[in-house]
Amino acid sequence: MTRPLRLSTLFLRTLREDPADAELPGHKLLVRAGYIRRAAPGIYSWMPLGLRVLRKVERIVREEMDAIGGQELSFPALLPREPYEATNRWTEYGPNLFRLHDRKGVDMLLGPTHEEMFTLAVKDMFSSYKELPLTLYQIQTKYRDEARPRAGLLRGREFIMKDSYSFDVGDDGLDEAYQRHREAYIKMFDRLGFDYVIVHADSGAMGGSASEEFLAVSPVGEDTFVRCEASGYAANVEAVVVPRAPAVDEATVAATPAAHVEDTPDSPTIATLVSQADALHPRSDGRGWTAADTLKNVVVLLTHPDGSTEPLAIGLPGDRDVDAKRLEAQVAPADWRPFEAADFAAYPMLAKGYIGPGVLGEERSSGIRYLLDPSVAEGSAWVTGADEHGKHVFDLVLGRDFTADGTIQAGEIREGDPSPDGAGPLTLARGIEMGHIFQLGRKYAEALDLKVLDENGKLVTVTMGSYGVGVSRAVAAVAEATHDELGLVWPRELAPADVHVVATGKDAAVFDHAGGLVDQLAAEGVEVIYDDRPKVSPGVKFKDAELLGVPTIVVVGKGLADGVLELKDRRTGERQDVPVDAAVEQILAAVRPGA
Amino acid sequence: MTRPLRLSTLFLRTLREDPADAELPGHKLLVRAGYIRRAAPGIYSWMPLGLRVLRKVERIVREEMDAIGGQELSFPALLPREPYEATNRWTEYGPNLFRLHDRKGVDMLLGPTHEEMFTLAVKDMFSSYKELPLTLYQIQTKYRDEARPRAGLLRGREFIMKDSYSFDVGDDGLDEAYQRHREAYIKMFDRLGFDYVIVHADSGAMGGSASEEFLAVSPVGEDTFVRCEASGYAANVEAVVVPRAPAVDEATVAATPAAHVEDTPDSPTIATLVSQADALHPRSDGRGWTAADTLKNVVVLLTHPDGSTEPLAIGLPGDRDVDAKRLEAQVAPADWRPFEAADFAAYPMLAKGYIGPGVLGEERSSGIRYLLDPSVAEGSAWVTGADEHGKHVFDLVLGRDFTADGTIQAGEIREGDPSPDGAGPLTLARGIEMGHIFQLGRKYAEALDLKVLDENGKLVTVTMGSYGVGVSRAVAAVAEATHDELGLVWPRELAPADVHVVATGKDAAVFDHAGGLVDQLAAEGVEVIYDDRPKVSPGVKFKDAELLGVPTIVVVGKGLADGVLELKDRRTGERQDVPVDAAVEQILAAVRPGA
């Protein structure tokens, strides 16, 4: 027996208009269909139908975690500072961490993830290798003060996550725990019902080694990932490691003319430079200069979590931009922003628009660390800034005429770029990060001194993995992936109900029959939304049913006089008339296709 | 099929010693049995077994709320300031509210209760009387920065509450919603399995009218309540309204001598005063002076939520103290503390130890508001301070010789005091506040402008009720109510498992048999804790079983050779040998006594 939800009393108001503050179609529909409501930027309330979907996601996650022996517990969201101080995350998290004082002035925080708490709990309770392996998890509300909360539940400031942690005595154990999670995640995401891809991931601020993300493939995703059809390689764009270009052969370098400075008036951009380069200094090989022949030097300002700042210069071919997210991943936990007028003022040797390797590098006049894109080969010749307004230098050869302090993986990755494994070209697509599995290694165990006795009675540091699933985000991701122009289209396992029964017209017999059907279905354990609103037109009722997105819609209306009901599949739009006597049986078959 | 919990792998460590930071026996046991762990003062983590109990409490609460048509939703814990500003609670909550700034400096708070959010949601979604009545609820983590977090889960700073709100168009509707909740709470608390009493409650800072509390009767409770056997009257001590004592008849007043000041050296206390009063000025009726004949004037300092302060003087018979909690309830949302040396310095007309009505009152020299206990009758004569060190005044008659600014319900209530309904004497006991039902009326709806159209198309303000249950607190209250000297003793509906199977000794056949039994029980849907630890002594296993408190304990051990297992009832201690063949059946009968 499952209590039916009657629309005459359900706390629900559907909207015909898109909400002003929603950007993505799935988000708009979740608000229009009354599943969620915005309480503050990046903070949402769950209305009755939304909460049902959320609970179903939680159930799937819980079942798959239990199946790999995960043990559920629940840590507080409001936490003391000390453990996060010990791992330096109190500082590293920067402004993303919600910090507060209690009435005694004690520093506290709202937990963004709980590595510290889990590590300390295991340290306190377990002491021997015999008690490991161990996998603990929680499904819990977390907090991150995102600079740009986005798209409702997709990037919120208060959100629900499953976070789990594995504890092992050695790297092999960690590998196994990682694989177990990987398989559990595959089952979980298969059940959630959207296309996803598993990509190599940058480990970001978390520190550690092996790391993969589960991305819901979606044009509205915030993450860009690459795939190589030939090899199956897939990676988050932040995690792509562009191989170092092979050095230019010595003969070619020897044949390159000596570097020479030319007047290039009014050419502070690559485009303006290239447009006049042929006239100024034709290439010896006869083909014209292109942006790819120029070396662009981009200067940014890093802000470290402790508030200190540091400039950084990046040299890369002029036809390629710095990728904001790749750079972010490389400099984390620092933030970065482009150099601004005030920054240039502090470094007068930087001629804006004409910056070159002559002043860049820790050993040169600016003292600014200078890193090159790996595609800039040793021995390659470039047109680049001559550090004087209106002047560029030509035939400047890396290794012969200039050097840098190292390389950086911050240049953009483009469709058709070679796969790092050499197997073929890359394609690009976008995705929503739904899960992250991650070999933390010993970072947290070392910081918090989590050791156990091994077989020989020796204290060894425990190895840990950390594994996350965006539970509230999954509701949004499914909405984005499965909606159509009429409304939400829930996969059966997540739908707020199994069946949406619509009674139309004013005929009491229709409502009597529909009510009886609803009771019969409820008695069978079927979850029913029943549109029993007496004075609402059939058109509005049908529109609401499409909008709410329950997989099976049953219409009890005019057909009843002829002994038939209408069954409609929300996803396919397929309709069929069903004799009244066979209705329950056919609805059950639709609701439980496997049974 | 329910996955058994094997103690060989369960994330659990039981402690033989009481934790240093636990005061109450139930709290000590919850920590010792590994159900909860302290993360910070008043903030606890739920370990696997504790979380199971918590979820069962939640289920009971949810079922009873659903049964009265409550609709579950979930609001954020991190909230914007504005709605709480509109109702003045941003200020009124004082230091009990966790406040913080986000990265943009915007004021936010951690929700203590959610009247505002519910009111605004209904305002936004519903607009007609036809959509009411409506009952909404959530089971959610809440935050209050308690000055004195206490006894683990009993008074925490992060805790789980069910809060629900009813919305109606008129007072009759509110009464019905209130009654529905009252009945649901009775069912809920009956299922939770502890003694409770429903008492009239002070509404405290919430504002509003009818209000009752469900108190778990417990010697460790923070709340004192009174009962009158004869009438069934029961009230929180804060809610007891002592009737005003009838005026003394005129003849008696006329016969009272004129007030006269006497030297009473070294008598700054009631005891020192009474001990010398007979010698100084014998009573005309011949019986000696007692503390009850003296009028004690207590001065306190109120601190309002906005930080402003104000003194208050309370006059009451010298044999009765001010009750801290009754005073707190009367002055809320202000806090109070006793007058200190610096306060006295600011009011030189107050002669400490000899303060009398001569300087008290808004119209007199101190200007301090002066309120009398209702037991101080008009026309009654008193010995009280003469506002000069070493002097008291005798035969000072209320109405003739002095007046006050009103009365206050702040004097202590004592065993044997008359019931306010006049039906007989009161008895006192202590309890833990587990639930609170409360007719809010129109306070929040007015502050946030929640109106709907009534039958006549006129806008009317909605009436609201607010209803809370301490969900995490219930786990603690049950632990306090049901434990014994050996450990926890869970009622069946809350226990983390139905059966605790202990395999003892080293015999492989024992473990094989126990494992098979566990699998059979699990297949029947029975929740089992299985102590399969290979190298732990039977004594330790039995102790742990008693400590964990699962209602049915099954021992598979030496008896197996004779074809018997031992069944033990944790609560009664009753043991019985059961033939191996009948074991599953008998265990099922014990686990499902009604089935």
Side-chain angles (χ1 to χ4, degrees), chain A residues 11 37 71 103 124 145, chain B residues 11 37 71 103 124 145:
Chain A
F11 186 56
R37 290 172 55 79
Q71 301 187 42
R103 65 191 296 150
D124 202 27
D145 199 357
Chain B
F11 186 55
R37 291 171 54 79
Q71 301 187 42
R103 64 192 296 151
D124 202 28
D145 199 358

Side-chain angles (χ1 to χ4, degrees), chain A residues 279-325:
Chain A
L280 284 170
H281 174 64
R283 275 178 66 115
S284 51
D285 60 8
R287 64 171 178 85
W289 295 104
T290 67
D293 300 315
T294 69
L295 183 69
K296 176 159 67 179
N297 296 294
V298 177
V299 192
V300 301
L301 191 77
L302 308 186
T303 304
H304 294 285
D306 64 5
S308 67
T309 61
E310 179 196 352
L312 172 68
I314 299 155
L316 71 174
D319 65 338
R320 210 167 271 263
D321 285 326
V322 166
D323 181 299
K325 291 195 143 191

Side-chain angles (χ1 to χ4, degrees), chain B residues 442-527:
Chain B
R442 294 177 179 80
K443 175 180 164 165
Y444 287 87
E446 265 160 15
L448 298 165
D449 198 30
L450 168 57
K451 291 184 170 135
V452 294
L453 291 171
D454 72 5
E455 291 150 302
N456 309 313
K458 237 183 59 185
L459 279 173
V460 290
T461 301
V462 168
T463 57
M464 291 171 57
S466 147
Y467 315 88
V469 170
V471 173
S472 44
R473 180 180 285 179
V475 176
V478 173
E480 296 300 342
T482 61
H483 72 274
D484 62 20
E485 68 282 4
L486 300 174
L488 298 163
V489 184
W490 295 109
R492 205 160 270 293
E493 205 169 354
L494 295 189
D498 300 308
V499 180
H500 184 126
V501 175
V502 178
T504 64
K506 293 176 184 172
D507 187 350
V510 165
F511 284 82
D512 284 352
H513 189 88
L517 176 67
V518 166
D519 290 343
Q520 267 183 287
L521 292 170
E524 292 278 352
V526 175
E527 294 177 341

Side-chain angles (χ1 to χ4, degrees), chain A residues 81 100-108, chain B residues 98 145 157:
Chain A
R81 168 178 175 160
L100 67 159
H101 303 294
D102 74 4
R103 65 191 296 150
K104 291 180 177 162
V106 174
D107 277 328
M108 306 201 74
Chain B
F98 281 107
D145 199 358
R157 299 198 295 167

Side-chain angles (χ1 to χ4, degrees), chain A residues 83 86-88 119-120 123 442-450 461:
Chain A
T87 58
N88 205 32
T119 306
L120 288 173
K123 177 183 173 179
R442 294 177 178 81
K443 176 179 162 167
Y444 288 87
E446 264 160 16
L448 298 165
D449 198 31
L450 168 57
T461 302

Side-chain angles (χ1 to χ4, degrees), chain A residues 247-271:
Chain A
V248 173
D249 63 280
E250 283 179 26
T252 306
V253 175
T256 307
H260 48 104
V261 173
E262 304 288 342
D263 280 326
T264 52
D266 302 325
S267 56
T269 65
I270 298 297

